[in-house]
Amino acid sequence: MALIGLVRVSTDKQKTQRQHDALDPICLKVFEEKISGKLATDDRPALLEALSYLRDGDMLTVQEVDRLGRNLLEGLIVLNDLFQRGIAVKVLEGIAAGEHTERSRILDLALALSEDRRRDIVRKTKDGLEAARRRGRVGGRPPVVDDDKRAAILARRERGESIRTIAAGVGVSVGVVHKTLADAKES
């Protein structure tokens, strides 16, 4: 029996070290993904890779149940598939902590609570953004193009440079160059 780990965070900016600290010492192999847990299993390449790596008698190990995902239906499908294949699930922390060889109410409840927490996060974020807008604050990233970069982008395009060359030369993405040029045409 081999312990195979799954580490998941939702975005590239989030850190995985805490999960690795818990899983690396006990797992033969650890798969990592930086993708939303609400997505369908088929849209999560690292999860699919871990699932295909697991063999009968192995144990998929996660720090918390919500690392499997924050979509109740997808989570239940993954668990059912694993249990039918003779693969157990080990959860290190939370209400479902322990080793599971079949579905249980506590495991189902933990998955349901994970999905509910995700809905809560989305709702609170939306409410916070709306409250900030009412106070006159606009969220989002600060603009990457200042007046100097804008002038350089327009001048280089006027000289006939390609969008990719401009982006590399000014130090911005191709999308930013496209947006700057489109905004300039509108004004």
Side-chain angles (χ1 to χ4, degrees):
M1 173 189 71
L3 269 64
I4 307 301
L6 177 66
V7 167
R8 184 191 65 76
V9 290
S10 297
T11 69
D12 285 334
K13 293 180 180 169
Q14 292 176 308
K15 307 285 186 235
T16 58
Q17 192 59 53
R18 181 178 72 91
Q19 293 177 60
H20 277 289
D21 288 346
L23 297 177
D24 289 350
I26 61 172
C27 292
L28 174 69
K29 185 169 178 74
V30 176
F31 293 87
E32 177 181 313
E33 61 183 357
K34 292 189 174 191
I35 195 164
S36 175
K38 73 178 180 181
L39 296 177
T41 304
D42 290 341
D43 297 327
R44 296 176 54 195
L47 175 60
L48 289 174
E49 192 178 350
L51 294 175
S52 68
Y53 185 86
L54 289 158
R55 300 291 174 251
D56 183 21
D58 286 348
M59 191 175 294
L60 179 63
T61 308
V62 291
Q63 188 168 22
E64 298 151 337
V65 168
D66 62 356
R67 300 303 88 199
L68 281 175
R70 291 193 178 218
N71 178 324
L72 176 61
L73 179 59
E74 289 293 325
L76 293 174
I77 291 169
V78 168
L79 289 176
N80 280 334
D81 175 59
L82 290 172
F83 296 146
Q84 286 176 0
R85 291 172 48 202
I87 298 166
V89 174
K90 181 173 187 158
V91 180
L92 301 179
E93 297 175 11
I95 63 171
E99 296 180 3
H100 305 272
T101 56
E102 60 186 25
R103 280 194 45 207
S104 65
R105 285 192 179 128
I106 196 72
L107 201 52
D108 292 357
L109 177 64
L111 281 170
L113 288 172
S114 294
E115 182 175 339
D116 193 53
R117 260 185 262 135
R118 180 181 58 82
R119 269 196 304 265
D120 249 5
I121 291 167
V122 169
R123 182 185 51 79
K124 288 177 182 176
T125 301
K126 183 180 171 193
D127 291 350
L129 290 170
E130 287 175 8
R133 272 190 222 103
R134 286 192 300 271
R135 291 189 310 272
R137 296 189 59 202
V138 179
R141 296 180 184 172
V144 244
V145 176
D146 56 18
D147 290 337
D148 291 338
K149 284 187 179 179
R150 184 178 186 281
I153 290 170
L154 297 176
R156 291 179 106 162
R157 188 60 173 174
E158 188 70 27
R159 290 193 304 260
E161 289 185 27
S162 75
I163 289 178
R164 288 190 189 281
T165 303
I166 296 168
V170 177
V172 296
S173 70
V174 169
V176 167
V177 174
H178 277 291
K179 183 172 180 353
T180 303
L181 294 173
D183 290 350
K185 283 182 183 177
E186 289 177 9
S187 27

